[in-house]
Amino acid sequence: MFIFNYLSHYFIAETQGVLNNLLNPFQSYTLPLDEWINNLVNFLVDNFRPIFQAISLPISGTLEIVKSTFIAIPPLIFLIIIALLVWQLAGRKIAIYSFIALIIIGFCGAWEAAMVSLSLILTAVIFCMLVGIPLGIICAVSDRFNRVLRPLLDAMQTLPTFVYLVPVVMLFGIGEVSGIIATFVFAVPPLIRLTNLGIRQVSPEAVEAALAFGSTRQQVLLEVQIPLALPTILAGTNQAILLALSMSVVTSMIGVEGLGQMVLQGLGRLNVGLAAVGGLGIVLIAVMLDRITQGVSQGSIQSWQERGPIGWLRSLGLSKRDKATLGISIVFALLVGVTGWQLMSQTTIKSTEESLPGKGIVVRPGSDMETYGTFITEIVDIGLEKLGYEVKGHKQLNIPAMHIAVGNGDVDFTGTHWEAGHQEFFDNNGGEEKLERLGTLISNSSMGYQIDKKTADEYNITDLSQLQDPKIAQLFDSDGDGLANLIGCTAGWMCERVINHHLQVYGLEDTVEHIQGDYSALLADALVRYRQGKPILFYAWKPHWFASVLREGEDVEWLNVPFTSLVGTMENFTEKDTSFNDKNLGFPIDNVRILANKKFLETNPVAQRLFEQIEIPIEDVDIQQEKVKNGENKPVDIRRHAEEWVVSHQGLFDSWLEVAKS
């Protein structure tokens, strides 16, 4: 009987196991697709990155010409040129709108950012047209090529942009070129499809008539099909322009400047006004470009000759000589204005007797998107400038892209590397072979969990483990599911894994929900709830501008954790490493250091010695963050904060420079 029972239970268990495997085959095996893709990208980066960099040269060259031209033209003259050009192409009403829209952007303080965005869009659309229109024509004349290309176009249109941002950065580097390539991938498919569609929809009777009159296939294509399909092709160009504009904010995450970065900075600082200015600029430019392309596609050659500056000149009844004289005079006046602007913009640099060690060397700094990071990196920049270096192109990047950029040499250093918190990014982007950490810009940087002081005092909450109690956890429930809503860390950062690990080891998985997304956007919800008098629970770190909004000890309190338990590169830290001011915060007390590319340091020992000296008290950073909270959060404000800090610590700052020169 015992043997029978054993065999029956064994048979049932085995049958259930087989049945589970049959019904859920994915449980027993999954394809390591992520590893394959990682290995492929790493192989391309290690062996073919110079080739990709060479491919980017035409893009960067075109962009530089367009951007430098747009920025070099004085705003008033640019407005006149745009108004005349749009009047000629699309009509008087659209010209007036374009003039007013650009004036609004200028008075909102976003003129230079708008010029950068316009140059990026124009460059991206140029390459979309150079590639997209020929591919659309080939698709129209070859069904086989159309069938092959269609799945690729489907993937380009549906693949989330964030998926290919990191590979693009790794292969092409950070900044405008990578932004244009990512924009191209997203914006070119509609142009290809509409070019294909426009040619295929040309009346067969028109094609047959052309062939009947002896035209060759090439002549039919160039002289019949493409001209008749031109409105549809221009509609595709219109779509490419609008999609390129929609990518402005996304590409700003990889160091692309312009209006998109204004939006990103506004979101990151909960500065709705700054984000709104950038967003308004994008909308105004989008409407302007949309109306221009529509006007061009709907106009005829005859109508273009009868409107705009050309139509106005023709209506004057002047002789050809007088028209030429007037045209030359207008062009000459515009050139004089541009030249005068450039001469006034030039600054005279007085030569010094002292030979500066960094003279003639360009340094490319980087920082994260947070204002504290920009502030401390600007102080480093000032030191480099005093040593004669030319600091150029300060890039603001998210944390992963920042480490990729330093590892690949796209930027020379960053001032916002957290020694413990960013260890994995350090290891994954070259480690000690490519990178070096120097100095300690900020010491005793803290991370942990905070709740509002009112709730902490009322319910005597001092430890995270108290949220095991469903009644305590429900206090922080903001979505009605009975679980405490813990506003957590940005996905992909080490703190994300640590928080998930803490919920598990502290027994909080059944009472606490980890809310993830963009950290700054989530903080907006926490701030609103706090102002409404509702309890809040969130992951916090210092230095961060939010600490100057909700102050420790006045508005919020740190929570203890029951014991120290960490994962990954942090798993060997002890309670001593995670304790600060007699509280175990659960995260290591960290140091913010300079992370530099080793090749840069080898050729610039003076800069290396400067990096090793600089240290900024966290109290001074907190004071600067208070200014940010009070509205001084624009790049020019943060640069001024850095200059003021240097002046108030001039003796210390000068001693750093002397050591660097020695």
Side-chain angles (χ1 to χ4, degrees):
M1 188 69 180
F2 172 78
I3 295 174
F4 177 77
N5 287 335
Y6 172 78
L7 289 175
S8 63
H9 284 298
Y10 175 79
F11 177 76
I12 292 172
E14 287 295 313
T15 303
Q16 288 179 338
V18 172
L19 187 60
N20 286 335
N21 288 334
L22 286 173
L23 295 177
N24 187 9
F26 313 121
Q27 187 174 352
S28 58
Y29 179 76
T30 56
L31 289 172
L33 182 61
D34 55 343
E35 294 182 13
W36 295 347
I37 294 175
N38 286 334
N39 292 335
L40 174 61
V41 172
N42 290 333
F43 173 77
L44 292 174
V45 170
D46 293 338
N47 296 278
F48 299 101
R49 194 168 194 264
I51 297 176
F52 286 97
Q53 294 283 357
I55 293 173
S56 69
L57 290 177
I59 300 174
S60 60
T62 304
L63 174 63
E64 190 60 34
I65 292 171
V66 176
K67 184 168 71 172
S68 59
T69 301
F70 282 4
I71 294 176
I73 299 175
L76 180 59
I77 292 180
F78 189 89
L79 286 168
I80 295 171
I81 293 173
I82 286 293
L84 293 174
L85 185 62
V86 176
W87 181 20
Q88 184 64 54
L89 294 176
R92 182 181 303 168
K93 291 182 180 179
I94 300 174
I96 294 172
Y97 166 81
S98 302
F99 188 81
I100 295 173
L102 291 175
I103 285 178
I104 293 172
I105 291 172
F107 280 119
C108 287
W111 180 265
E112 187 169 342
M115 293 301 100
V116 172
S117 292
L118 268 175
S119 62
L120 290 167
I121 294 162
L122 181 58
T123 304
V125 172
I126 287 172
F127 283 94
C128 283
M129 294 177 69
L130 289 175
V131 175
I133 293 176
L135 286 179
I137 293 171
I138 297 173
C139 287
V141 300
S142 172
D143 290 335
R144 180 180 298 178
F145 185 81
N146 185 38
R147 287 193 297 269
V148 171
L149 191 61
R150 187 184 300 168
L152 179 60
L153 297 178
D154 293 338
M156 292 167 69
Q157 286 189 281
T158 57
L159 188 68
T161 311
F162 294 100
V163 173
Y164 55 82
L165 275 185
V166 172
V168 165
V169 168
M170 294 176 71
L171 292 171
F172 294 95
I174 62 164
E176 286 81 3
V177 172
S178 291
I180 289 172
I181 292 171
T183 301
F184 171 86
V185 173
F186 185 65
V188 77
L191 180 55
I192 297 174
R193 292 184 187 277
L194 286 171
T195 301
N196 178 18
L197 179 66
I199 294 175
R200 287 177 179 272
Q201 287 184 337
V202 171
S203 170
E205 289 80 5
V207 175
E208 290 175 3
L211 291 173
F213 280 100
S215 299
T216 64
R217 285 289 179 184
Q218 184 177 357
Q219 289 174 325
V220 170
L221 177 65
L222 297 177
E223 299 176 15
V224 178
Q225 290 177 299
I226 291 179
L228 291 176
L230 191 58
T232 307
I233 295 173
L234 289 173
T237 305
N238 174 271
Q239 291 299 303
I241 291 171
L242 297 181
L243 290 174
L245 266 168
S246 71
M247 285 287 289
S248 298
V249 178
V250 175
T251 55
S252 67
M253 300 178 67
I254 56 173
V256 177
E257 299 176 353
L259 295 169
Q261 193 163 91
M262 290 183 68
V263 175
L264 193 64
Q265 289 172 346
L267 293 175
R269 302 166 192 174
L270 296 189
N271 185 337
V272 181
L274 182 62
V277 168
L280 176 65
I282 292 173
V283 170
L284 291 173
I285 290 176
V287 174
M288 180 182 77
L289 296 178
D290 176 66
R291 299 298 185 271
I292 292 172
T293 52
Q294 285 188 20
V296 171
S297 63
Q298 294 170 4
S300 63
I301 295 177
Q302 184 66 26
S303 65
W304 290 351
Q305 293 175 346
E306 294 176 354
R307 68 186 181 203
I310 294 177
W312 175 69
L313 284 174
R314 293 181 65 183
S315 67
L316 294 177
L318 300 175
S319 64
K320 290 185 178 180
R321 182 176 179 180
D322 292 336
K323 291 177 182 178
T325 303
L326 181 59
I328 292 172
S329 300
I330 293 173
V331 172
F332 180 75
L334 294 176
L335 288 175
V336 168
V338 172
T339 305
W341 171 265
Q342 291 301 306
L343 291 174
M344 288 187 295
S345 300
Q346 291 179 356
T347 57
T348 304
I349 302 174
K350 295 181 179 180
S351 60
T352 60
E353 295 181 1
E354 182 182 8
S355 178
L356 297 175
K359 186 177 181 181
I361 301 174
V362 175
V363 181
R364 300 159 300 169
S367 66
D368 64 11
M369 302 300 297
E370 302 296 340
T371 53
Y372 90 92
T374 308
F375 169 64
I376 60 178
T377 306
E378 286 283 10
I379 293 175
V380 180
D381 292 348
I382 293 171
L384 291 169
E385 291 166 359
K386 296 293 184 182
L387 293 170
Y389 290 97
E390 181 185 352
V391 180
K392 188 176 181 181
H394 186 144
K395 295 294 183 183
Q396 289 184 277
L397 305 158
N398 59 28
I399 299 298
M402 180 181 72
H403 285 80
I404 292 172
V406 179
N408 290 337
D410 297 322
V411 300
D412 298 314
F413 78 94
T414 176
T416 48
H417 171 77
W418 290 54
E419 185 172 11
H422 295 162
Q423 180 66 46
E424 282 196 355
F425 293 124
F426 178 85
D427 294 336
N428 294 336
N429 289 284
E432 295 183 356
E433 183 180 343
K434 291 184 177 181
L435 304 168
E436 187 169 342
R437 294 178 278 209
L438 305 100
T440 303
L441 283 178
I442 305 174
S443 57
N444 294 327
S445 301
S446 53
M447 297 175 278
Y449 304 98
Q450 289 187 346
I451 63 172
D452 62 288
K453 184 174 175 58
K454 175 184 174 183
T455 305
D457 292 342
E458 183 177 350
Y459 294 91
N460 194 28
I461 303 173
T462 60
D463 196 286
L464 186 66
S465 61
Q466 290 177 255
L467 272 75
Q468 292 177 352
D469 184 347
K471 293 182 180 179
I472 297 294
Q474 197 167 11
L475 296 171
F476 304 97
D477 177 20
S478 61
D479 56 10
D481 62 359
L483 303 178
N485 292 108
L486 167 62
I487 290 180
C489 181
T490 300
W493 294 8
M494 172 57 78
C495 46
E496 173 201 17
R497 292 171 54 194
V498 172
I499 293 172
N500 290 332
H501 175 71
H502 282 172
L503 296 183
Q504 180 181 6
V505 298
Y506 300 149
L508 301 172
E509 289 183 302
D510 295 330
T511 56
V512 179
E513 180 182 9
H514 183 191
I515 306 299
Q516 291 183 259
D518 180 77
Y519 182 66
S520 297
L522 295 176
L523 287 181
D525 176 69
L527 184 59
V528 170
R529 287 179 58 80
Y530 176 82
R531 289 172 175 171
Q532 294 173 340
K534 298 178 181 179
I536 57 172
L537 168 67
F538 61 99
Y539 162 78
W541 52 276
K542 292 179 65 179
H544 190 269
W545 60 265
F546 201 65
S548 65
V549 177
L550 299 184
R551 298 177 183 277
E552 177 187 344
E554 298 178 14
D555 304 305
V556 294
E557 292 284 359
W558 291 102
L559 291 180
N560 279 299
V561 297
F563 52 87
T564 298
S565 180
L566 295 165
V567 293
T569 56
M570 297 182 179
E571 62 184 356
N572 294 324
F573 286 101
T574 65
E575 184 174 342
K576 180 181 178 182
D577 301 310
T578 59
S579 297
F580 188 71
N581 290 340
D582 299 323
K583 283 190 176 183
N584 186 353
L585 302 181
F587 291 81
I589 307 305
D590 215 337
N591 296 317
V592 181
R593 307 183 66 185
I594 291 177
L595 181 71
N597 184 280
K598 270 200 168 181
K599 290 183 178 179
F600 171 77
L601 295 177
E602 289 171 0
T603 55
N604 293 278
V606 174
Q608 179 173 350
R609 289 194 291 271
L610 175 68
F611 293 162
E612 292 168 346
Q613 301 297 313
I614 299 179
E615 183 168 0
I616 303 162
I618 194 169
E619 295 79 12
D620 291 357
V621 181
D622 291 339
I623 292 172
Q624 187 270 339
Q625 292 294 279
E626 182 74 23
K627 296 178 181 178
V628 170
K629 184 199 76 170
N630 292 331
E632 298 181 24
N633 51 27
K634 295 180 180 178
V636 64
D637 295 325
I638 298 173
R639 173 69 182 197
R640 188 182 69 254
H641 297 161
E643 292 171 346
E644 290 171 351
W645 188 92
V646 169
V647 171
S648 62
H649 298 79
Q650 195 66 60
L652 176 64
F653 189 79
D654 291 341
S655 70
W656 295 339
L657 299 180
E658 290 303 318
V659 172
K661 294 176 184 177
S662 62

